[in-house]
Amino acid sequence: QVQPIESGGGLVQAGGSLRLSCAASGRAFSSYTMGWFRQAPGKERDFVAAISWSGGTTYYADSVKGRFTISRDNAKNTVYLQVNSLKPEDTAVYYCAAVYRYVGLGPTGWGQYDYWGQGTQVTVSS
């Protein structure tokens, strides 16, 4: 199993950028598909992006395509989310999640992931 730990959140002005990191302790990180989700106050946890265990396949929510980029470094047991051109509606707690050897695009459902981090807050001011 793996334990994701997020970092890199903060307060940023609209149009700004952040790089979120998720360091995963545990074995066989390279066998896990990793995903990012976000949850704004009073709203459901929404899918943001996912990356396959090899890093060769990525998948994004329509709302972040062209602005966010997911990547991973298996040597460092870390997955990243570069978030650019931030908007106030991107304000949320961002969560990192892991699922073992998922086959296919995504997954996009929060229930499909087995391990979750505690989240990192991203606040975008207008």
Side-chain angles (χ1 to χ4, degrees), residues 7 19 24 33-34 42 45 47 53-54 56 66 73 79 84 89-90 106 108-109 112 117 120:
S7 63
R19 188 174 81 156
T33 291
M34 302 298 293
R45 189 169 297 190
F47 170 76
W53 65 80
S54 69
D73 185 340
V79 62
N84 298 329
E89 51 263 44
D90 294 318
T108 62
Q112 295 174 283
T120 186

Side-chain angles (χ1 to χ4, degrees), residues 20 36-38 46-50 58-70 81-87 89-92 94:
L20 308 183
W36 285 95
F37 286 72
R38 65 186 181 184
D46 291 332
F47 170 76
V48 174
T58 57
Y59 191 70
Y60 297 91
D62 288 342
S63 59
V64 306
K65 280 181 182 177
R67 299 190 299 124
F68 291 10
T69 303
I70 189 171
L81 186 69
Q82 179 68 40
V83 296
N84 298 329
S85 303
L86 282 163
K87 305 174 183 179
E89 51 263 44
D90 294 318
T91 294
Y94 283 70

